[in-house]
Amino acid sequence: MSKIQMTTPLVEMDGDEMTRIIWKQIKDIVLLPFVDLKTEYFDLGLVNRDNTNDQVTIDSANRTKELGVAVKCATITPNAQRMTEYNLKSMWKSPNGTIRAILDGTVFRSPIMVKGISPIVSTWKKPITIARHAYGDVYKNTEIKVPGAGKAELVFTAEDGTVIRETIMDFDAPGIIQGIHNKNKSIESFAKSCFTYALDTKQDLWFATKDTISKKYDHTFKDIFAEVFEAEFKTKFEEAGIEYFYTLIDDAVARIMKCEGGILWACKNYDGDVMSDMLASANGSLAMMTSVLVSPDGKYEYEAAHGTVTRHYYKYLKGETTSTNPMATLFAWTGALRKRAQLDGLADLEAFADKLEKASIETIEEGTITGDLKNLIDCPVKNVVNTEDFLKAIAAKL
Ligand code: NAP
Ligand code: MG
């Protein structure tokens, strides 16, 4: 059988621990036998990040800006314990944070839905994708514990010395205050990423804030989304037959619980943090959640939503077989290959990505599963296998 050809390489970002093992298994078992895989390899494993003073992470993100599509394995974000474990020179920053800062993107997360694993919300028939704004608000705040009576003010001093001053509160007793911010440029990038992703996936876009209460802060989000939509996307949305819908955040939450799914839900930073955890747990498992970072100028980085599955890795090192679920990592590969195929006009590569996803979903639906799904899935025969055998079952079906 001749292999499916590629023209432009993917940026391949390898990672750590159990997901690094799975990474190689996916390539060996379900990709390389079928595709003449072209990638530019960057080793983002912690050892190499330390050896290169984290330059490899920066290089891989910059190369993604040039080539347009990357696929990333989960990576360790070092903490004090990892400093000793890996004898690190420095407590390197989160690779995802570094990559996000360079690509200036928005993260989109959606569940992989299979028959037999029903979302807790019974009306959800299709996946709901959350787009989380990843800059500012309460994540970059300044806070004061007010010790006692006094005046709290919000003061802005312009470069020319002009001052804008508002009273927050005349305290007569102890309390608390908080200052937060966002930038128009960042909100605009967020809006563009969301509109682009909705068009790409042909889904309606919902966006919600609390603009009735926050008449300047949240209202600015609403206004910027409306301006970007009018200026660049309205006609494209009409042509694609999809809708942009703005509502209040509480109304959005109520509607989400009654909707069928199949929509993109854009959330401010805090809302996205909270709501994506709700969505993931309502759908069963982090191992069945895909994640993609999309930049406002249309660069894509695909990854799994989970981490490096350290607990399984330590078992693996002891020689025990593990049944780690490779679905999210596999879907990172299919997502990246499909996007590359679409950009390069490679119909057979796009069809391959579709078929591989279909084969993996059918494998699960027919009862061949990894351990994490054992108590989640409702099917007559359950054949719990290790990661390698699970991938081999997918390859056989493919
Ligand atoms: P984790 O790797 O997501 O794993 C947490 C637990 O979730 C696992 O112990 C396992 O539960 C379950 N799990 C996650 N993925 C699974 C899979 N594919 N198949 C089966 N079970 C799965 O989170 P963590 O243990 O908190 O973090 C480990 C490392 O990952 C950390 O160093 C962190 O910095 C890094 N991390 C990286 C990313 C990223 O690169 N995107 C994201 C998050 C965390 P059981 O043990 O009960 O089986
Ligand atoms: Mg959270």
Side-chain angles (χ1 to χ4, degrees), residues 341-352:
Q342 288 166 349
L343 294 173
D344 295 346
L346 303 172
D348 50 352
L349 185 64
E350 184 169 2
F352 171 78

Side-chain angles (χ1 to χ4, degrees), residues 50-97:
D50 196 47
N51 286 340
T52 62
N53 296 330
D54 210 22
Q55 187 60 37
V56 66
T57 309
I58 296 163
D59 291 346
S60 71
N62 284 330
R63 195 62 182 134
T64 305
K65 283 178 104 172
E66 290 161 1
L67 291 178
V69 187
V71 55
K72 180 181 172 290
C73 180
T75 45
I76 292 169
T77 298
N79 54 15
Q81 182 249 320
R82 300 293 196 174
M83 293 289 290
T84 347
E85 185 183 354
Y86 283 83
N87 190 21
L88 300 177
K89 288 186 254 179
S90 164
M91 202 185 286
W92 307 110
K93 283 193 276 185
S94 148
N96 288 359

Side-chain angles (χ1 to χ4, degrees), residues 72 74-75 77 82 96 287 306-312 324-325:
K72 180 181 172 290
T75 45
T77 298
R82 300 293 196 174
N96 288 359
H306 59 77
T308 59
V309 211
T310 312
R311 216 176 60 84
H312 295 206
T324 317
N325 188 336

Side-chain angles (χ1 to χ4, degrees), residues 28-330:
D28 288 344
I29 301 170
V30 295
L31 298 178
L32 290 169
F34 307 98
V35 179
D36 190 18
L37 199 62
K38 280 196 175 62
T39 72
E40 280 191 24
Y41 182 83
F42 294 84
D43 184 0
L44 268 58
L46 189 49
V47 175
N48 195 45
R49 272 184 277 149
D50 196 47
N51 286 340
T52 62
N53 296 330
D54 210 22
Q55 187 60 37
V56 66
T57 309
I58 296 163
D59 291 346
S60 71
N62 284 330
R63 195 62 182 134
T64 305
K65 283 178 104 172
E66 290 161 1
L67 291 178
V69 187
V71 55
K72 180 181 172 290
C73 180
T75 45
I76 292 169
T77 298
N79 54 15
Q81 182 249 320
R82 300 293 196 174
M83 293 289 290
T84 347
E85 185 183 354
Y86 283 83
N87 190 21
L88 300 177
K89 288 186 254 179
S90 164
M91 202 185 286
W92 307 110
K93 283 193 276 185
S94 148
N96 288 359
T98 303
I99 295 165
R100 206 175 295 152
I102 292 173
L103 292 180
D104 179 25
T106 301
V107 177
F108 297 86
R109 292 205 157 163
S110 43
I112 304 165
M113 291 178 83
V114 298
K115 282 190 216 99
I117 304 180
S118 339
I120 292 167
V121 181
S122 58
T123 52
W124 292 355
K125 303 294 177 223
K126 288 179 259 175
I128 293 168
T129 303
I130 285 199
R132 174 183 171 188
H133 185 209
Y135 179 83
D137 300 351
V138 72
Y139 302 86
K140 244 181 174 320
N141 67 3
T142 309
E143 304 179 314
I144 298 176
K145 266 176 170 293
V146 174
K151 190 187 190 67
E153 292 178 304
L154 200 55
V155 181
F156 171 75
T157 313
E159 270 179 346
D160 69 1
T162 318
V163 170
I164 307 175
R165 187 182 293 269
E166 294 281 346
T167 301
I168 298 172
M169 183 69 195
D170 279 311
F171 283 98
D172 58 7
I176 40 180
I177 54 172
Q178 178 184 56
I180 61 171
H181 83 279
N182 222 297
K183 297 183 192 173
N184 288 7
K185 181 97 179 32
S186 174
I187 302 169
E188 206 180 292
S189 292
F190 173 47
K192 282 185 186 170
S193 298
C194 292
F195 288 124
T196 305
Y197 190 90
L199 270 178
D200 264 6
T201 55
K202 297 226 175 348
Q203 299 183 86
D204 289 345
L205 172 65
W206 293 16
F207 181 48
T209 72
K210 196 71 181 174
D211 65 282
T212 46
I213 299 297
S214 171
K215 289 187 165 54
K216 288 181 182 151
Y217 198 101
D218 276 19
H219 214 291
T220 299
F221 278 82
K222 178 184 178 181
D223 291 345
I224 289 177
F225 264 69
E227 283 156 23
V228 171
F229 183 65
E230 280 296 323
E232 291 179 45
F233 292 95
K234 197 169 184 216
T235 322
K236 291 178 190 159
F237 267 52
E238 279 164 11
E239 282 163 10
I242 57 172
E243 195 190 1
Y244 169 55
F245 171 60
Y246 178 86
T247 187
L248 279 175
I249 184 68
D250 31 2
D251 181 49
V253 170
R255 284 170 188 261
I256 283 287
M257 287 302 171
K258 288 183 274 179
C259 80
E260 267 209 349
I263 57 151
L264 173 61
W265 185 15
C267 290
K268 284 179 64 198
N269 210 349
Y270 175 81
D271 299 338
D273 181 355
V274 177
M275 290 303 159
S276 61
D277 284 347
M278 191 257 314
L279 196 77
S281 57
N283 280 290
S285 168
L286 255 193
M288 297 292 281
M289 195 88 181
T290 63
S291 184
V292 57
L293 173 71
V294 183
S295 76
D297 55 345
K299 313 294 180 205
Y300 297 77
E301 183 248 309
Y302 293 84
E303 60 178 355
H306 59 77
T308 59
V309 211
T310 312
R311 216 176 60 84
H312 295 206
Y313 182 59
Y314 292 156
K315 278 187 172 178
Y316 167 87
L317 289 181
K318 279 193 250 161
E320 294 173 37
T321 51
T322 59
S323 181
T324 317
N325 188 336
M327 286 291 279
T329 306
L330 178 62

